[in-house]
């Protein structure tokens, strides 16, 4: 056997190898997208949980939400709100064994604070079609007076 015929054995064209690897990667990516779209519960990040985390970050300072600092809506950045969705925010504390609302805010689809974004009769909470997320927060009702509370965020289509 000649030396040149032995050196060609087991080699492939670099372009063919590149196409094969690209096809494999594309197939794995498409399979991942398919699983994400078809299997329920493959992600725990919903619009309302993302909005809740961002709004809590806006409102908390040193781990405490200061309810006495003014209007709740003033402390929420427009960039923290989901684009093109209505948002309802409620901050409550537990005082004397019962839950008390210490602040609410309503934002329209354009991100501006607007109590008209929902019906007047529903101002005590988000509408039924809203996705809702909540978490426990520390709430300062006055300087030095910190209580346990809940931050609730409701998000729905406008």
């Amino acid at each position: 056997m000649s030396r040149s015929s032995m050196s060609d054995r087991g080699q492939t064209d670099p372009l063919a190898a590149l196409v094969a690897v690209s096809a494999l990667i594309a197939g794995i990516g498409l399979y991942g997208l398919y699983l994400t779209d078809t299997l329920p519960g493959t992600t725990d990040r919903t619009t309302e949980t993302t909005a809740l985390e961002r709004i809590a970050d806006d409102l908390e300072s040193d781990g405490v939400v200061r309810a006495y600092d003014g209007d709740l809506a003033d402390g929420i950045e427009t960039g923290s709100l989901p684009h093109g969705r209505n948002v309802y925010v409620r901050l409550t504390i537990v005082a004397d064994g019962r839950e008390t609302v210490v602040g609410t805010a309503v934002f329209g689809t354009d991100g501006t604070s607007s109590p008209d974004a929902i019906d007047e009769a529903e101002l005590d909470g988000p509408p039924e079609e809203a996705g809702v997320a909540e978490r426990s927060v520390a709430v300062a009702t006055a300087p030095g007076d910190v209580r346990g509370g809940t931050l609730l965020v409701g998000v729905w289509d406008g």
Side-chain angles (χ1 to χ4, degrees), residues 11 18 24 38 50 53 58 68 85 89 97 102-104 108 126 130 138 141 149-150 153:
Q11 291 184 3
L18 184 61
L24 178 67
T38 58
T50 302
E53 290 174 13
D58 288 347
Y68 60 88
R85 310 285 300 272
V89 181
V102 293
T104 61
T141 56
T150 303
V153 173

Side-chain angles (χ1 to χ4, degrees), residues 16-148:
L18 184 61
V19 168
V21 169
S22 297
L24 178 67
I25 291 171
I28 291 171
L30 289 172
Y31 181 70
L33 287 173
Y34 168 77
L35 285 180
T36 302
D37 287 340
T38 58
L39 295 177
T42 55
T43 180
D44 61 349
R45 307 265 313 162
T46 61
T47 304
E48 55 272 7
T49 57
T50 302
L52 173 67
E53 290 174 13
R54 290 178 177 171
I55 290 169
D57 286 344
D58 288 347
L59 295 175
E60 287 180 337
S61 176
D62 298 326
V64 176
V65 177
R66 287 172 177 75
Y68 60 88
D69 275 350
D71 188 20
L72 189 63
D74 292 341
I76 299 172
E77 300 289 327
T78 304
S80 299
L81 304 171
H83 181 70
R85 310 285 300 272
N86 290 316
V87 179
Y88 174 86
V89 181
R90 180 174 64 211
L91 182 63
T92 58
I93 61 168
V94 176
D96 299 327
R98 59 185 187 153
E99 191 174 60
T100 303
V101 176
V102 293
T104 61
V106 179
F107 298 90
T109 56
D110 61 355
T112 58
S113 178
S114 169
D116 299 329
I118 60 175
D119 293 335
E120 195 70 32
E122 295 177 338
L123 281 178
D124 61 339
E128 289 184 22
E129 70 267 14
V132 177
E134 62 183 7
R135 80 176 216 191
S136 297
V137 292
V139 180
T141 56
D145 184 15
V146 179
R147 301 169 185 258

